[in-house]
Amino acid sequence: MKYEIKELPEVRVAYLRYKGPFGAGIGEFWKEVFTPWQKAYGLVNKVTYGVAQDDPSTTPASECRYDACVEVSADYEVKPPAQLGSIPAGRYAVAQFKGTADQVPAAWGEFFGQLHAEGKADAGVCFERYPADYAMDPVTGEFSSELCIPVKA
């Protein structure tokens, strides 16, 4: 998998948490919960992030946590049910993803495997970054995002 090493700045986010098995449930959470909330609070046309808080290979599926996030300004007042968080600054391997939601887990697996084999993967938050003009093809279900994994200096 092709990737670039980038220094990314810290990003302040508002997020809603999903808890349960990774996969189709996360897509439904974005569609049924996060996107309507995002629209209701005027947070559209902003960069969004998907942050897996747990490793699904070591955490029971029912306990896996995933945060759907949107960038917010320093003065944005986060109101429940949203919570305030941040994506940490750091050095990340960033790979382009284009495909459907059911292809995301395999892409992550390939990317993690490659970085571990190269000895570059580091501990820290891994996330998907979606552009402010994010769009999913209504016919194919394809979309584009970036997969970001912390790497050693």
Side-chain angles (χ1 to χ4, degrees):
M1 181 175 272
K2 292 174 65 174
Y3 64 88
E4 294 180 59
I5 303 295
K6 296 182 178 183
E7 290 289 336
L8 300 179
E10 180 177 40
V11 179
R12 186 174 191 261
V13 296
Y15 71 92
L16 297 178
R17 177 159 289 167
Y18 165 87
K19 187 175 178 185
F22 289 175
I26 290 175
E28 288 299 312
F29 180 77
W30 278 88
K31 182 179 170 185
E32 303 295 329
V33 179
F34 185 79
T35 301
W37 169 84
Q38 185 183 14
K39 288 177 181 175
Y41 284 87
L43 296 170
V44 295
N45 299 319
K46 296 183 175 289
V47 177
T48 55
Y49 300 82
V51 182
Q53 297 293 341
D54 299 296
D55 179 346
S57 68
T58 58
T59 303
S62 63
E63 297 301 311
C64 285
R65 297 166 299 152
Y66 175 96
D67 296 337
C69 311
V70 60
E71 281 189 18
V72 293
S73 64
D75 61 346
Y76 182 80
E77 187 179 329
V78 178
K79 296 181 177 84
Q83 297 181 62
L84 179 63
S86 65
I87 307 289
R91 184 176 160 97
Y92 291 87
V94 180
Q96 299 299 315
F97 170 81
K98 181 172 180 147
T100 60
D102 62 342
Q103 295 170 323
V104 171
W108 273 114
E110 178 185 345
F111 195 22
F112 271 118
Q114 180 178 348
L115 289 177
H116 281 289
E118 294 173 0
K120 294 181 180 177
D122 202 0
V125 174
C126 301
F127 55 90
E128 298 153 8
R129 182 166 59 176
Y130 299 91
D133 63 353
Y134 168 86
M136 179 185 294
D137 184 301
V139 176
T140 65
E142 284 192 344
F143 60 89
S144 296
S145 68
E146 294 175 322
L147 307 180
C148 303
I149 298 176
V151 292
K152 297 174 184 169

